[in-house]
Amino acid sequence: MCGIVGYNGSSQAAPILLDGLEKLEYRGYDSSGLAVRSGSNDIEIVKAKGRLRILSEKTDEGRALSGTCGIGHTRWATHGEPSENNAHPHISDDRNVTGVHNGIIENYQELKEKLLRHDYKFYSDTDTEVAIKLIDYYMKKYHGGPVDSIARAMIRIRGSYALVVMFKDYPDEIYCARKDSPLIIGVKEGESFAASDVPAILKHTRRVYYIGNQQIAKLTKGEVKFFDLDREEVEIEPKEVTWDAEAAEKNGFEHFMIKEIHEQPKAARDTIGSIIHEGKISLQETGLTDDIIAGITQVIIVACGSAYHVGMAGQYIFEDLARIPVRVELASEFRYRNPLLNENDLVIVISQSGETADSLAALRLAKEKGIRTLGIINVVGSSIAREADHVFYTLAGPEIAVATTKAYSAQLIAVYALAIQFAHVRNTIEEERYSELIAEMETLPAKMERILEDKERIQWFAAKYSNAKDMFFIGRGIDYAISMEGSLKMKEISYVHSEAYAAGELKHGTISLVENGTLVVGVCTQNRLFEKTRSNMVEVKSRGAYLMGLTSYGNYSIEDTADFTVYIPKTDQNFATSLAIIPLQLLGYYLSVARGLNVDKPRNLAKSVTVE
Ligand code: G6P
C-alpha cells in the first residue's frame, strides 16, 4: 500500500519520480505528490487528488519542477480521506523536514498531542505529518543530524513504516527508514534511488540493497550508507536483480492482468523447473531436508486473499497425498487468536509480495512460539522471505496487476511439490505414483497454454453477461477452493457481487437468493464428486439460474444441465485448480473490460496490503 520513490542524482528528478510512481501505481492511487529540490534551494511540493495522471499533467510531466533530488508518493488512504491536503509529501512547519510514508503509525494520536503541546500545527489528518514533525522536533531538541533525529523518532513510533525524508539543511541527501513496510535502495554511478518495489527502479539499476528492519539509510549521489537504531553504521551487501525489465511492462497487452494471465504457463514452468531435477523433486534450496519433513506432524497454512485460496486447495492435496493433518487459516485471524501449535508443526506462509502485514505478523507469531516456518514467496528479499526459516521462491516474475493471477498459479505449483515430497518421504504414495505425479505436473504449462488458446469463448460469454448483478460459484472439495478464487476475481475487478459456496451447503441458505437469470458457475473437475455437484446445479437451474459448467474434457453429460460449458484438459485431479482457474480469471477479466472498469487498479484495492 502506498508507493514511494526517491531519486538523488544529476538528472531532473521529477520525470524519474513520476515514471517510478507509475510502476508503483498498483500500490495505491487515490492521490499523489512530489517534492523536488536543487542544491540548497527550497523544496518545491506539488500534490494532486486522484490518479497519477493528474499529478503528471499538473507538473507538465515533471518539467515544471526543477531539481535533481526528490521524493514522490502515490497514496492508498488509511488516515484521512483522499485529498490534496492529505496527499504526501508532508512537510514540517518551518519546511525543515519533508517526507513520504507507507505504513500505519499506531500511536500517532499520542505523538500528535505531544507535538501540539510544543506548538506544532497540523494541516492534514495523516499519521505521516505527525512522523515528519516528530523528526523535526527531535532534530531541534537534540541538535543531532538526520540519522540521530530519525532514530529518535523511530524509537517513539509504534507501527509500520517506510519513510523517505529530505532535510532543508542537508541538500543532495535523502534519508530512509524502515520497519515492517517494504523499501529498497538502488544505486548506480552518480545516482541513488529508493522505492517500495523493484519495478520502479529496474530501468535504472539492478543493484539493489534490501534495507533491514529498523534501519536507516543515507543516500548521496551514487552511494548509500546504512545505520541501526544506535546510529552505528551497518554493512549491507547489494543484490543483483535478475528480473527482466520488460517483465514489468505491458508488452503490447491492453492490461497487465491479461498479460499476466498469459504468463501463467511460464510462471508454472519456471517454478516446476526450479525444483525438479532428473525426475525427482529437490527441496534443497528451501533447506527442508527429508529428515525435517519426516518429523513434521501437522501443517498450518496461513495467508490472505488469493494466497489463502491456494492454501485451501493445498489442504485437500496435502491430506490426500501425504496423509498429514493440514489447517488453513486467514492470517488476520490466526495472528490474534492464540492458536494451538505444537513443536513439530510446520507453519507455511504463502504470499506473493512477502510484505502482507497480517501474513508477516502470523509468521512472527509462529516464530515466537518456536515453530518452524516456511514462506512460499515471490518477491526475493521481502520481509517474509528474510524472516522465515525456509523459503520456497515461486518464479512468477514481477506481478503488477492488483488481482493476482500468475503468482497464484506459481504458488499452486509450490504447494503440489511440497505435498508430493511430503507424501514421498512419509511413504504414503508408491514410487510409481510419485513419478507419475511429477510427470503430470510437468504437463501443466502446456495444458494451460491450450486453455488460453480458447479464450474468445469466455470473452463472448463475459460480454453477454456483463450486466450480471449476482453470481454464485459452487463446487465440492478442490472445486470449492477453485470456486473461492473464481469468485474473488469477480468481486475484485468486475465489482459483481459474487459468492463461493461448497455445493452441498447451498441448501442451508444461499439457494434462497437464486432467482430467474442468476448466474451460477458449477465447477466439476473432481470425478468422484461430479454427479453430486451436478445435482446441485440442477437444483439451482430449476429455480431459474443460468448455468455455466466448468469441467474436464470427457464429462460431456454436463451439457444436459449447463447452459454454457467450458472444458479443461484432463489432469490428475489434485492439479485441477491450475487449469480450472484460468477460464475463471478470464471471465473476471473480460467482464471487467466489458463494464469499462479499471482492470489493473480496481477501486479501493491495493496489491500489497502492508497495513492490517
Ligand atoms: C491483495 C491482492 C491479492 C493478494 C493478497 C495477498 O489483496 O490484491 O491479489 O492475493 O493481497 O497478497 P500476498 O502478497 O500476501 O500474496
Side-chain angles (χ1 to χ4, degrees):
M1 284 181 163
C2 295
I4 289 180
V5 184
Y7 172 75
N8 191 6
S10 48
S11 302
Q12 285 301 306
I16 293 175
L17 296 172
L18 282 171
D19 181 70
L21 288 179
E22 199 194 313
K23 303 280 181 317
L24 296 181
E25 232 193 332
Y26 66 83
R27 302 182 68 86
Y29 27 80
D30 57 47
S31 53
S32 52
L34 296 175
V36 171
R37 74 186 301 184
S38 217
S40 55
N41 290 347
D42 188 28
I43 292 168
E44 252 191 286
I45 298 180
V46 183
K47 305 186 198 187
K49 183 182 166 198
R51 297 276 153 141
L52 188 63
R53 183 175 34 84
I54 302 172
L55 181 69
S56 184
E57 279 163 15
K58 210 168 166 181
T59 57
D60 189 18
E61 290 171 359
R63 285 185 286 265
L65 284 172
S66 155
T68 56
C69 180
I71 56 182
H73 188 266
T74 151
R75 179 167 186 252
W76 190 93
T78 56
H79 293 80
E81 52 161 18
S83 68
E84 218 173 284
N85 214 27
N86 287 332
H88 303 206
H90 288 287
I91 189 158
S92 65
D93 299 353
D94 61 357
R95 306 183 73 78
N96 180 33
V97 189
T98 311
V100 291
H101 164 227
N102 169 27
I104 285 188
I105 294 169
E106 286 163 7
N107 57 338
Y108 84 106
Q109 275 300 0
E110 171 197 325
L111 297 171
K112 189 170 181 174
E113 277 154 29
K114 170 189 165 77
L115 291 168
L116 282 168
R117 285 196 297 276
H118 289 89
D119 295 331
Y120 278 84
K121 308 268 179 301
F122 288 88
Y123 57 83
S124 79
D125 307 318
T126 64
D127 50 348
T128 307
E129 189 188 351
V130 175
I132 300 306
K133 294 187 173 171
L134 190 70
I135 297 172
D136 177 67
Y137 167 79
Y138 284 125
M139 187 165 239
K140 298 205 162 90
K141 181 165 180 192
Y142 294 102
H143 306 289
V147 172
D148 180 72
S149 323
I150 293 173
R152 288 178 194 277
M154 285 167 82
I155 291 164
R156 283 302 304 270
I157 290 172
R158 277 203 317 274
S160 59
Y161 49 82
L163 277 165
V164 180
V165 183
M166 296 192 289
F167 292 84
K168 186 163 81 189
D169 297 332
Y170 295 81
D172 298 330
E173 290 175 12
I174 291 180
Y175 290 84
C176 307
R178 185 183 98 82
K179 179 173 172 267
D180 300 345
S181 289
L183 192 67
I184 53 142
I185 312 290
V187 174
K188 71 188 249 201
E189 213 187 317
E191 294 178 302
S192 41
F193 305 82
S196 302
D197 200 357
V198 173
I201 61 169
L202 205 53
K203 73 150 98 133
H204 305 287
T205 179
R206 292 174 171 280
R207 222 167 122 220
V208 166
Y209 295 84
Y210 293 92
I211 171 172
N213 220 18
Q214 296 198 284
Q215 287 184 349
I216 299 164
K218 173 184 174 181
L219 275 64
T220 47
K221 295 183 190 298
E223 235 194 299
V224 57
K225 286 197 164 110
F226 297 94
F227 304 87
D228 61 18
L229 275 186
D230 299 325
R231 297 67 152 164
E232 298 289 339
E233 199 171 329
V234 286
E235 286 295 320
I236 296 183
E237 283 300 312
K239 297 234 157 51
E240 202 63 21
V241 175
T242 52
W243 284 354
D244 177 357
E246 292 236 311
E249 306 289 341
K250 280 193 209 141
N251 289 345
F253 282 94
E254 200 182 336
H255 299 102
F256 277 111
M257 182 171 176
I258 189 72
K259 174 184 171 243
E260 289 162 4
I261 287 175
H262 280 86
E263 285 172 345
Q264 291 183 107
K266 180 173 174 2
R269 197 172 279 127
D270 289 352
T271 307
I272 292 169
S274 72
I275 38 101
I276 296 186
H277 301 292
E278 292 164 8
K280 296 215 173 312
I281 292 174
S282 161
L283 298 178
Q284 205 185 338
E285 297 272 307
T286 68
L288 275 182
T289 61
D290 287 359
D291 280 351
I292 295 176
I293 293 174
I296 292 168
T297 48
Q298 186 182 217
V299 173
I300 297 113
I301 304 178
V302 191
C304 302
S306 299
Y308 170 74
H309 298 155
V310 171
M312 287 295 295
Q315 181 181 39
Y316 292 106
I317 301 163
F318 252 102
E319 291 197 344
D320 178 48
L321 293 177
R323 310 306 298 153
I324 187 169
V326 177
R327 244 164 52 203
V328 190
E329 301 212 26
L330 289 165
S332 53
E333 288 296 311
F334 179 85
R335 63 179 292 193
Y336 289 121
R337 70 168 195 82
N338 193 15
L340 261 182
L341 299 169
N342 301 312
E343 59 172 342
N344 293 324
D345 289 352
L346 173 70
V347 169
I348 303 181
V349 180
I350 308 179
S351 173
Q352 186 284 128
S353 61
E355 301 290 350
T356 301
D358 286 322
S359 303
L360 180 59
L363 175 94
R364 289 182 178 161
L365 177 70
K367 288 195 76 180
E368 254 168 48
K369 290 178 180 277
I371 311 298
R372 188 183 292 278
T373 55
L374 165 74
I376 298 180
I377 307 294
N378 196 45
V379 176
V380 176
S382 56
S383 298
I384 299 177
R386 277 185 281 176
E387 294 183 30
D389 300 316
H390 306 273
V391 184
F392 188 134
Y393 276 117
T394 48
L395 302 185
E399 194 180 59
I400 311 292
V402 165
T404 181
T405 51
K406 63 173 178 168
Y408 168 87
S409 282
Q411 288 162 354
L412 280 171
I413 299 291
V415 166
Y416 301 159
L418 287 165
I420 298 169
Q421 195 60 10
F422 269 58
H424 183 60
V425 172
R426 297 163 59 85
N427 286 319
T428 52
I429 53 171
E430 306 277 324
E431 199 60 37
E432 200 187 328
R433 174 92 171 114
Y434 177 68
S435 307
E436 229 175 63
L437 283 165
I438 293 175
E440 183 56 32
M441 187 163 66
E442 287 183 297
T443 68
L444 289 174
K447 289 176 179 166
M448 291 170 152
E449 273 153 8
R450 269 174 58 197
I451 300 171
L452 287 166
E453 279 162 20
D454 209 16
K455 60 179 186 250
E456 273 80 18
R457 275 194 84 225
I458 308 267
Q459 186 171 13
W460 168 83
F461 183 74
K464 194 162 166 224
Y465 281 89
S466 61
N467 288 330
K469 288 207 169 47
D470 298 295
M471 215 161 160
F472 297 94
F473 292 76
I474 59 171
R476 291 170 185 252
I478 291 180
D479 289 336
Y480 174 42
I482 297 169
S483 298
M484 291 171 96
E485 178 60 6
S487 168
L488 181 63
K489 287 285 144 302
M490 196 54 65
K491 282 186 262 225
E492 278 180 311
I493 52 169
S494 309
Y495 312 155
V496 175
H497 163 250
S498 91
E499 291 188 39
Y501 253 79
E505 189 65 15
L506 261 186
K507 290 203 266 299
H508 298 286
T510 309
I511 202 163
S512 65
L513 296 173
V514 174
E515 47 188 34
N516 253 347
T518 305
L519 201 52
V520 178
V521 179
V523 185
C524 304
T525 69
Q526 306 292 299
N527 285 345
R528 205 166 44 87
L529 302 165
F530 181 81
E531 284 307 331
K532 300 270 172 212
T533 304
R534 203 164 72 109
S535 34
N536 297 123
M537 289 166 72
V538 172
E539 283 160 9
V540 290
K541 191 170 183 182
S542 63
R543 282 156 182 89
Y546 187 87
L547 277 181
M548 170 175 152
L550 177 56
T551 189
S552 312
Y553 284 108
N555 292 332
Y556 302 119
S557 63
I558 199 165
E559 293 194 19
D560 300 341
T561 312
D563 300 292
F564 174 78
T565 306
V566 175
Y567 293 101
I568 54 167
K570 280 193 175 141
T571 184
D572 187 284
Q573 292 183 23
N574 282 304
F575 303 152
T577 318
S578 290
L579 304 183
I581 198 57
I582 295 179
L584 300 184
Q585 293 167 340
L586 289 168
L587 185 62
Y589 172 76
Y590 284 123
L591 225 107
S592 176
V593 172
R595 290 161 82 107
L597 301 172
N598 192 333
V599 180
D600 285 337
K601 293 163 198 154
R603 69 181 176 210
N604 304 340
L605 299 178
K607 180 150 194 70
S608 182
V609 183
T610 52
V611 295
E612 63 171 299

